[in-house]
């Protein structure tokens, strides 16, 4: 009966992306929730800024995610680790690519880059190296740096355009510097100006000729034994039973080869080099080499031509020949140019015609399906990131599917095809692809099936499908979130509550509850709901919603703050139904009462920074940059704030922009150093910092050097050096915000070296200039001095001052008694449910109380939405302690898939396997 009731209520009209401006509360029908009645809270000027109206609960729905979502991620990672460990050299790089696809759902940029680096390390054939090197370059968004050409070498062998065209297998390539300047003996061999004339035929060559090839009336004098040594066919011609073996002049006019090419052949036979010849001549030599099976000559010509492909025009010219002659190296060089130009080359009609034409598909077949899958997978991922929904994008995905060989490859390409078709509102075709993906074991694609059912007016069918999914599998947050779309009333809210409990990282439940409460005129509760999410996950869509709600109640200043933060996170974010434009920000700014001076902005930035209000600080920095875009150092501050908010991609974009706009070499070197540090190149970062200091002594250069030194395992002398570097930084001009950070870092170094009094002084000096986070360091000093009460007081001060308090509660728990610590950690989880330390602490307490099952369940909650290394390791240890050795091994394998060099997990894994083997041997002996 309940289902019948639901069925009746499911007969509501379908929704659209946004309500139009013409909609009003009075026009709502009985079967649609009335339009938001909070129009009364906003003023007409506010409404005029929003031509697309306000969101309602009926208009909200979560996006369909376009990557693999295994139903049991831990099992998938465990399986992957075992397969990688037992794989052959030829299989390994594709397994790392699978790892990349599986881990996409976690959104950890550094972890994903490590997967790509491992794939590149194990790649054997040249085309695969080319694709993976280009992918790594795109991953760093190097195309956003001004003055960097797509074919420039950045100094790292793993991305060098010349290194990846060499036939070698080097497991150390990731850690090597590029030596491409010495890779080829002559950097000028790519020029086309050098021509071989008959007059220069034997310049520098002494050996006498003993026969000639004749092209018409012209002759190319050669040495018989040298030409014969080029291939078996030439040897048979010149020394076999053919007429040519006894003649001094051989007519070659009918072979389509020019006299210049034959002269070049003579020179090559003597010096075994082709770099002196024009490109056109080398093309002819390559044709001749293919015809007469001259393998060495062919390889030399391919290498020469490949080195000549230095821009898009040449690549488009050479690629046709490479396909006709099936020359893998030359084709790889052309592909490299196309791929290193991404994403720009996706907008080039000639490039897209090459990748999407049916002729190219057949001609590329000699590269092999594995390599072609890698190629089209990369292209389609770039297209997905660029949010392309065009016909060429569909063709790229179709090619990916056609070249897929394993189930995960097929499922992923079909699922992504479904996502693009869904965005194009081709719901029937999308549903077809989602069903195919689910039939290959990708359960998440059933969410796509149910969504397309819903879009076609089959709401009850969508509800039943999600019901079946929940009853058939271990529940996940996304399952309840999806079912909530098709549920109604109290049942919808229950589904959303369960979704949040299972996976607090999901945005949609918070957004829905916030808008619902706003519709019900529960204004305070609505803001509390969306604030909860923004405090631990400040995404553009959530800040946009809060800005929307602020504008609805006429609070333009806070609306403007959130819009500025959105622009910092995503400058081109589509907001309010259209592209975010500067005139919208200016219109809101004009309506605000006060126009702040630069001094006012600095005061407000100090206030927000001291209050640990990172979103508010971002907004002030954006305003200051809008007032004066030349203040490039503010972009660096912006990147630091974004890193605090765990927005790494946006932070690196700010750094790249700062690097592009640097006004001095020293400034540019510092920003380049931070970019290198993000990539994990610590030594190169240190080199950049030292070079910057040699150019100009500045706070930022010294700070960078000290920061990098602190990351290393330093001895006493090196620690002293690091202290001196930070002291030099503090002597240089800078503002209090940065000096506060330097003093805070100085205190950390003193603590690590046991100099507690000096650390206390550093932290107190930082607090004097309102560096609020120094309370945490000072608390640590007091704790190490056995002054627990003072440590608790310092952390309490931080909690009272900070807007973002979760980390402070978590840290205070370290200095509290057991019950108080548990209260603090519960509060930390309430404020930021994505922090995993509280789960580990509570699990350890339960384990101490011999409540093993509850301890494992506590860890499993965190692992369900964030499978971190430490959490997996701890659960593995718990499993080992309770005798569940197979589960302990599985968790160890999943953890090692994330970090294969984690020593403690390796020991635990080895111990678990040894114990399991011992038990098996005992049982076998008893049998």
């Amino acid at each position: 009966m309940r289902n019948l009731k639901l069925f009746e209520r499911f007969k509501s009209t379908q929704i659209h992306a946004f309500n139009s401006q013409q909609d009003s509360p009075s026009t709502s029908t009985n079967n649609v929730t009335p339009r938001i009645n909070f129009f009364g809270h906003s003023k007409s000027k506010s409404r005029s800024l929003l031509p697309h109206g306000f969101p309602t609960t009926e208009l909200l729905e979560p996006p369909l995610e376009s990557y693999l979502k295994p139903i049991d991620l831990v099992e998938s990672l465990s399986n992957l680790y075992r397969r990688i460990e037992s794989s052959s050299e030829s299989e390994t790089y594709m397994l790392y690519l699978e790892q990349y696809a599986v881990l996409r759902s976690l959104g950890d940029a550094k972890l994903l880059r490590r997967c790509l680096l491992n794939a590149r390390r194990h790649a054997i054939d040249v085309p695969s190296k080319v694709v993976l090197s280009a992918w790594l370059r795109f991953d760093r968004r190097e195309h956003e740096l001004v003055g960097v050409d797509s074919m420039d070498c950045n100094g790292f062998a793993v991305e060098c355009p010349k290194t990846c065209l060499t036939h070698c297998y080097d497991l150390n390539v990731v850690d090597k510097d590029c030596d491409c300047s010495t890779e080829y003996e002559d950097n000028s061999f790519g020029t086309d100006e050098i021509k071989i004339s008959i007059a220069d035929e034997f310049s520098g060559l002494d050996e006498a000729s003993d026969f000639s090839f004749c092209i018409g009336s012209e002759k190319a004098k050669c040495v018989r034994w040298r030409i014969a040594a080029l291939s078996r066919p030439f040897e048979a011609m010149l020394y076999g039973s053919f007429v040519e073996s006894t003649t001094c002049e051989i007519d070659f006019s009918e072979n389509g080869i020019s006299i210049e090419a034959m002269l070049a052949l003579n020179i090559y036979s003597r010096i075994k080099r082709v770099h002196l010849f024009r490109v056109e001549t080398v093309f002819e030599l390559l044709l001749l080499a293919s015809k007469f099976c001259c393998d060495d000559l062919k390889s030399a010509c391919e290498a020469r031509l490949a080195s000549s492909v230095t821009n898009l025009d040449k690549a488009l010219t050479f690629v046709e020949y490479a396909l006709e002659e099936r020359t893998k190296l030359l084709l790889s060089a052309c592909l490299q140019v196309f791929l290193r130009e991404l994403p720009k080359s996706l907008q080039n009609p000639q490039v897209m015609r090459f990748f999407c034409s049916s002729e190219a598909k057949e001609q590329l077949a000699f590269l092999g399906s594995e390599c072609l899958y890698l190629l089209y997978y990369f292209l389609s991922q770039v297209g997905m990131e660029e949010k392309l929904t065009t016909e060429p994008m569909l063709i790229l995905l179709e090619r990916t599917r056609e070249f897929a060989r394993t189930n995960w490859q097929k499922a992923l390409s079909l699922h992504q095809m479904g996502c693009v078709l869904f965005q194009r509102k081709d719901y029937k075709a999308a549903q077809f692809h989602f069903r195919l993906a689910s039939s290959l074991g990708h359960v998440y694609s059933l969410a796509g099936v149910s969504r397309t059912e819903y879009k076609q007016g089959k709401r009850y069918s969508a509800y039943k499908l999600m019901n079946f999914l929940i009853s058939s599998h271990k529940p996940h947050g996304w399952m309840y979130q999806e079912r909530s779309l098709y549920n109604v009333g109290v049942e919808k809210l229950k589904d959303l509550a369960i979704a949040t409990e299972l996976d607090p990282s999901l945005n949609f439940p918070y957004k829905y509850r916030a808008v619902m409460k706003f519709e019900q005129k529960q204004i305070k509760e609505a803001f509390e709901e969306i604030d909860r999410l923004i405090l631990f996950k400040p995404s553009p869509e959530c800040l946009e919603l809060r800005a929307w709600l602020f504008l609805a109640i006429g609070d333009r200043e806070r609306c403007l703050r959130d819009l500025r933060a959105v622009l910092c996170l995503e400058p081109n974010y589509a907001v309010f139904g259209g592209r975010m434009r500067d005139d919208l920000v200016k219109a809101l700014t004009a309506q605000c009462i006060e126009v702040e001076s630069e001094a006012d902005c600095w005061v407000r930035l100090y206030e927000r920074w001291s209050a640990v209000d990172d979103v508010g600080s971002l907004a002030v920095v954006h305003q200051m940059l809008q007032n004066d875009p030349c203040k490039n150092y503010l972009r660096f501050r912006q990147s630091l704030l974004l890193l605090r908010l765990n927005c790494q991609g946006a932070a690196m974009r700010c750094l790249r922009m700062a690097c592009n706009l640097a006004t001095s070499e020293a400034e540019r070197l510092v920003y380049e150093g931070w970019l290198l540090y993000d990539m994990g190149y610590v030594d190169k970062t240190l080199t950049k910092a030292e070079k910057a200091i040699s150019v100009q002594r500045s706070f930022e250069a010294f700070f960078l050097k000290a920061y990098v030194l602190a990351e290393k395992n330093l001895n006493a002398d090196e620690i002293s050096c690091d202290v001196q570097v930070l002291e030099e930084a503090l002597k240089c001009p800078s503002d209090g915000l940065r000096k506060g950070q330097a003093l805070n870092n100085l205190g950390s170094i003193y603590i690590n070296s046991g100099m507690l009094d000096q650390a206390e002084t550093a932290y107190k000096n930082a607090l004097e200039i309102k560096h609020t986070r120094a309370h945490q360091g000072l608390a640590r000093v007091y704790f190490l001095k056995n002054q627990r009460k003072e440590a608790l007081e310092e952390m309490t001060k931080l909690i009272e001052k900070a807007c973002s308090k979760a980390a402070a509660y978590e840290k205070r728990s370290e200095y509290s008694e057991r019950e108080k610590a548990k209260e603090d950690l519960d509060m930390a989880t309430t404020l930021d449910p994505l922090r995993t330390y509280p789960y580990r602490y509570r699990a350890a307490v339960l384990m101490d109380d011999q409540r093993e099952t509850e301890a494992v369940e506590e860890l499993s909650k965190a692992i369900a939405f964030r499978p971190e290394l430490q959490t997996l390791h701890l659960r593995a240890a718990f499993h080992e302690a309770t005798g569940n050795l197979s589960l302990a091994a599985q968790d160890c394998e999943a953890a090692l898939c994330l970090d294969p060099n984690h020593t403690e997990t390796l020991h635990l894994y080895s111990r678990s396997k040894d114990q399991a083997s011992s038990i098996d041997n005992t049982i076998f002996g008893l049998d």
Side-chain angles (χ1 to χ4, degrees):
M1 292 298 294
R2 176 176 171 275
N3 282 346
L4 288 175
K5 268 189 172 182
L6 284 172
F7 180 69
E8 290 300 317
R9 298 180 69 184
F10 283 155
K11 293 179 180 177
S12 63
T13 57
Q14 294 299 300
I15 63 173
H16 303 283
F18 294 93
N19 280 350
S20 64
Q21 187 182 7
Q22 288 77 19
D23 292 340
S24 65
S26 61
T27 61
S28 59
T29 58
N30 292 332
N31 63 338
V32 179
T33 303
R35 281 281 297 163
I36 296 178
N37 292 324
F38 56 73
F39 277 135
H41 296 288
S42 64
K43 300 177 182 179
S44 59
K45 286 184 179 179
S46 298
R47 292 175 61 185
S48 68
L49 293 170
L50 295 175
H52 293 274
F54 293 95
T56 70
T57 50
E58 292 191 345
L59 304 181
L60 295 175
E61 66 178 54
L64 287 171
E65 295 174 347
S66 60
Y67 39 72
L68 288 179
K69 286 177 74 75
I71 201 70
D72 188 338
L73 182 57
V74 172
E75 183 182 351
S76 297
L77 293 176
S78 169
N79 179 266
L80 255 174
Y81 177 76
R82 290 196 305 273
R83 287 158 57 206
I84 289 171
E85 288 298 296
S86 61
S87 63
S88 65
E89 289 182 354
S90 60
E91 298 171 331
T92 305
Y93 89 95
M94 285 304 290
L95 288 173
Y96 279 116
L97 188 68
E98 181 179 352
Q99 185 186 40
Y100 173 88
V102 169
L103 292 174
R104 280 293 301 275
S105 60
L106 299 183
D108 187 329
K110 291 189 176 180
L111 191 56
L112 294 176
R113 181 170 179 83
R114 193 163 66 206
C115 294
L116 290 177
L117 284 169
N118 281 326
R120 170 65 181 87
R121 176 188 282 120
H122 290 276
I124 298 173
D125 66 312
V126 169
S128 298
K129 290 180 187 178
V130 162
V131 176
L132 289 165
S133 292
W135 200 332
L136 285 164
R137 182 182 187 278
F138 176 79
D139 180 65
R140 289 190 302 100
R141 301 298 192 271
E142 189 163 313
H143 56 272
E144 294 180 6
L145 291 173
V146 172
V148 177
D149 186 76
S150 62
M151 296 303 291
D152 284 350
C153 176
N154 62 5
F156 305 115
V158 72
E159 292 181 38
C160 173
K162 292 181 180 178
T163 300
C164 61
L165 289 177
T166 57
H167 296 275
C168 64
Y169 181 63
D170 186 359
L171 291 176
N172 298 316
V173 67
V174 172
D175 306 314
K176 281 186 175 180
D177 291 339
C178 180
D179 55 354
C180 62
S181 59
T182 58
E183 188 92 9
Y184 298 93
E185 296 179 16
D186 190 342
N187 286 332
S188 66
F189 71 98
T191 59
D192 295 341
E193 290 76 15
I194 302 174
K195 296 185 179 181
I196 305 301
S197 65
I198 298 176
D200 298 328
E201 182 179 350
F202 292 105
S203 176
L205 302 174
D206 300 328
E207 189 170 359
S209 305
D210 54 7
F211 86 105
S212 300
F213 285 113
C214 299
I215 308 293
S217 59
E218 298 179 290
K219 297 179 181 179
K221 297 178 180 180
C222 303
V223 179
R224 186 178 293 269
W225 74 268
R226 289 187 178 276
I227 299 295
L230 296 178
S231 71
R232 294 294 295 275
F234 270 130
E235 183 183 10
M237 175 195 294
L238 298 174
Y239 287 105
S241 57
F242 296 97
V243 174
E244 288 82 356
S245 64
T246 60
T247 60
C248 294
E249 294 185 356
I250 301 174
D251 187 5
F252 240 52
S253 302
E254 303 299 322
N255 284 284
I257 304 296
S258 69
I259 186 63
E260 189 174 10
M262 296 310 298
L263 293 170
L265 180 68
N266 169 44
I267 295 175
Y268 172 79
S269 71
R270 296 166 184 255
I271 64 174
K272 295 296 187 288
R273 295 171 70 183
V274 297
H275 69 277
L276 296 173
F277 313 142
R278 294 187 309 127
V279 166
E280 293 82 357
T281 303
V282 178
F283 268 121
E284 286 194 79
L285 283 178
L286 182 58
L287 182 65
L288 187 145
S290 298
K291 189 171 185 178
F292 288 91
C293 305
C294 305
D295 294 337
D296 290 343
L297 175 58
K298 185 176 181 181
S299 297
C301 291
E302 284 190 17
R304 162 69 174 92
L305 293 172
S307 68
S308 302
V309 185
T310 54
N311 57 51
L312 196 58
D313 290 337
K314 287 185 177 180
L316 289 168
T317 301
F318 289 7
V319 73
E320 297 298 330
Y321 183 85
L323 289 173
E324 287 176 13
E325 295 298 317
R326 298 167 64 88
T327 58
K328 189 177 287 190
L329 185 62
L330 181 56
L331 177 58
S332 298
C334 297
L335 289 175
Q336 179 166 245
V337 174
F338 299 152
L339 299 178
R340 290 174 72 92
E341 288 278 350
L342 288 170
K344 186 171 66 174
S345 55
L346 287 181
Q347 309 300 327
N348 187 304
Q350 290 175 285
V351 174
M352 292 309 292
R353 194 179 304 120
F354 167 73
F355 283 124
C356 297
S357 68
S358 56
E359 294 83 2
K361 173 190 168 184
E362 296 172 2
Q363 292 173 318
L364 286 168
F366 74 95
L367 292 179
S369 60
E370 195 172 81
C371 178
L372 289 174
Y373 175 80
L374 175 64
L375 170 64
Y376 280 98
Y377 180 33
F378 174 36
L379 289 168
S380 61
Q381 294 320 292
V382 175
M384 297 295 284
E385 290 190 28
E386 294 294 305
K387 297 180 173 59
L388 299 182
T389 58
T390 57
E391 287 294 333
M393 180 64 201
L394 289 174
I395 295 174
L396 291 178
L397 286 167
E398 180 62 21
R399 292 284 186 274
T400 309
R401 184 195 65 79
E402 289 171 348
F403 293 119
R405 287 296 174 266
T406 61
N407 275 358
W408 77 264
Q409 294 173 352
K410 295 174 184 176
L412 178 58
S413 56
L414 287 165
H415 180 76
Q416 291 186 330
M417 180 80 84
C419 290
V420 172
L421 290 166
F422 183 85
Q423 291 173 338
R424 289 165 61 97
K425 299 185 179 180
D426 188 349
Y427 299 126
K428 285 188 177 181
Q431 185 177 106
F432 173 76
H433 286 84
F434 284 134
R435 284 194 185 278
L436 287 177
S438 66
S439 70
L440 291 168
H442 190 231
V443 176
Y444 178 70
S445 292
L446 289 174
V449 175
S450 63
R451 192 79 67 91
T452 51
E453 288 274 285
Y454 173 58
K455 291 295 185 180
Q456 295 175 84
K458 301 174 183 178
R459 187 171 187 172
Y460 187 56
S461 175
Y463 173 81
K464 286 198 298 181
L465 178 57
M466 293 313 300
N467 248 355
F468 168 76
L469 195 59
I470 290 170
S471 63
S472 304
H473 298 277
K474 180 182 176 181
H476 289 258
W478 62 263
M479 295 178 182
Y480 286 92
Q481 174 179 271
E482 192 65 30
R483 191 174 72 173
S484 73
L485 292 176
Y486 323 126
N487 224 325
V488 289
V490 176
E491 297 299 320
K492 178 189 281 284
L493 293 178
K494 283 182 180 178
D495 278 349
L496 291 172
I498 296 172
T500 298
E501 181 183 352
L502 292 174
D503 187 352
S505 67
L506 296 172
N507 292 350
F508 174 72
Y510 297 92
K511 292 173 65 178
Y512 182 91
R513 288 188 292 260
V515 174
M516 181 196 70
K517 290 172 181 177
F518 214 114
E519 288 178 345
Q520 296 169 353
K521 298 186 179 179
Q522 300 176 29
I523 308 301
K524 180 182 176 183
E525 292 80 359
F527 278 105
E528 286 176 350
E529 186 69 38
I530 196 64
D531 286 346
R532 280 177 59 200
L533 178 59
I534 289 173
L535 274 173
F536 67 87
K537 194 180 177 186
S539 63
E541 60 183 72
C542 300
L543 286 165
E544 173 202 20
L545 177 59
R546 191 169 70 175
W548 218 322
L549 301 182
F550 276 130
L551 197 57
I553 63 173
D555 191 339
R556 299 185 191 87
E557 289 189 13
R558 291 185 182 178
C559 172
L560 181 58
R561 176 200 65 188
D562 283 350
L563 291 181
R564 290 188 185 282
V566 170
L567 284 174
C568 291
L569 291 168
E570 187 60 63
N572 297 319
Y573 183 74
V575 69
F576 297 160
R579 284 284 172 188
M580 169 64 79
R581 304 181 311 276
D582 285 341
D583 57 354
L584 178 56
V585 174
K586 288 176 182 176
L588 281 167
T589 304
Q591 291 186 20
C592 292
I593 298 172
E594 295 184 14
V595 178
E596 292 182 305
S597 66
E598 183 179 357
D600 294 332
C601 287
W602 273 108
V603 170
R604 199 150 58 88
L605 181 58
Y606 267 86
E607 289 174 353
R608 295 299 88 215
W609 195 287
S610 299
V612 196
D613 177 8
D614 294 329
V615 170
S617 299
L618 267 182
V620 179
V621 170
H622 182 272
Q623 180 179 350
M624 295 170 77
L625 280 170
Q626 189 181 36
N627 294 340
D628 188 355
C630 295
K631 288 186 169 61
N632 203 32
Y633 61 89
L634 288 172
R635 289 186 175 83
F636 179 58
R637 310 298 167 85
Q638 194 177 51
S639 72
L640 297 176
L641 289 165
L642 289 165
L643 283 174
R644 283 185 188 173
L645 293 170
N646 201 29
C647 302
Q648 188 187 27
M652 292 305 106
R653 187 183 59 245
C654 284
L655 265 181
R656 287 190 292 273
M657 187 177 296
C659 195
N660 289 337
L661 299 175
T663 55
S664 67
E665 183 186 1
E667 184 185 5
R668 179 179 55 78
L669 286 167
V670 170
Y671 300 146
E672 287 177 351
W674 283 113
L675 287 169
L676 287 167
Y677 180 79
D678 177 68
M679 293 167 58
Y681 295 108
V682 176
D683 291 334
K684 286 187 176 294
T685 304
L686 194 57
T687 301
K688 289 283 184 182
E690 289 171 344
K691 188 174 180 181
I693 292 170
S694 68
V695 173
Q696 180 183 342
R697 295 168 61 85
S698 68
F699 173 89
E700 294 299 350
F702 280 114
F703 186 89
L704 174 60
K705 180 177 179 179
Y707 194 90
V708 175
L709 285 174
E711 290 289 299
K712 298 187 172 186
N713 294 321
L714 304 178
N715 57 38
D717 292 336
E718 290 170 326
I719 288 174
S720 175
C721 175
D722 200 10
V723 169
Q724 290 174 9
V725 173
L726 272 176
E727 288 174 346
E728 289 296 323
L730 289 166
K731 292 176 185 176
C732 297
S734 186
D735 57 77
L737 300 178
R738 293 296 284 147
K739 290 201 172 183
Q741 288 180 307
L743 287 165
N744 198 60
N745 289 5
L746 186 60
S748 297
I749 295 169
Y750 282 137
I751 285 179
N752 292 336
S753 57
M755 303 165 69
L756 299 183
D757 291 336
Q758 292 89 333
E760 183 177 348
T761 301
Y763 287 125
K764 286 181 176 178
N765 288 339
L767 287 170
E768 285 180 7
I769 52 179
K770 295 187 177 182
H771 188 75
T772 308
R773 284 182 168 87
H775 282 297
Q776 181 171 316
L778 189 56
R780 184 68 180 164
V781 171
Y782 288 142
F783 179 74
L784 292 172
K785 288 183 172 183
N786 294 319
Q787 298 173 341
R788 184 181 289 245
K789 180 182 176 182
E790 288 80 1
L792 285 169
E793 288 174 355
E794 286 301 320
M795 291 310 302
T796 302
K797 290 176 185 177
L798 177 57
I799 289 170
E800 290 170 352
K801 292 179 182 179
C803 292
S804 180
K805 306 173 188 291
Y809 275 109
E810 183 179 295
K811 200 67 182 175
R812 190 173 73 172
S813 72
E814 296 180 18
Y815 314 133
S816 304
E817 299 298 334
R818 179 166 165 171
E819 287 304 315
K820 182 62 177 175
K822 187 176 181 302
E823 289 177 13
D824 280 349
L825 290 174
D826 288 343
M827 179 58 73
T829 298
T830 300
L831 295 174
D832 184 354
L834 301 186
R835 303 184 76 87
T836 55
Y837 172 75
Y839 294 90
R840 297 200 299 273
Y841 179 90
R842 289 189 290 264
V845 170
L846 289 167
M847 200 68 179
D848 287 342
D849 293 341
Q850 297 184 344
R851 297 157 66 183
E852 293 90 350
T853 303
E854 293 172 70
V856 170
E857 287 174 354
E858 184 68 22
L859 292 176
S860 298
K861 289 179 188 176
I863 289 170
F865 60 84
R866 180 167 283 186
E868 287 184 340
L869 174 67
Q870 296 90 341
T871 316
L872 286 165
H873 174 86
L874 186 58
R875 191 172 74 171
F878 286 1
H879 282 314
E880 183 198 33
T882 56
N884 293 322
L885 298 178
S886 61
L887 291 177
Q890 184 181 75
D891 281 349
C892 284
E893 288 161 353
L896 291 171
C897 195
L898 302 177
D899 183 0
N901 300 316
H902 191 253
T903 306
E904 292 180 4
T905 304
L906 285 168
H907 290 161
L908 177 57
Y909 183 45
S910 176
R911 196 166 61 242
S912 298
K913 288 200 300 182
D914 289 344
Q915 289 179 31
S917 177
S918 177
I919 291 172
D920 289 343
N921 290 337
T922 302
I923 294 172
F924 180 76
L926 291 173
D927 290 343

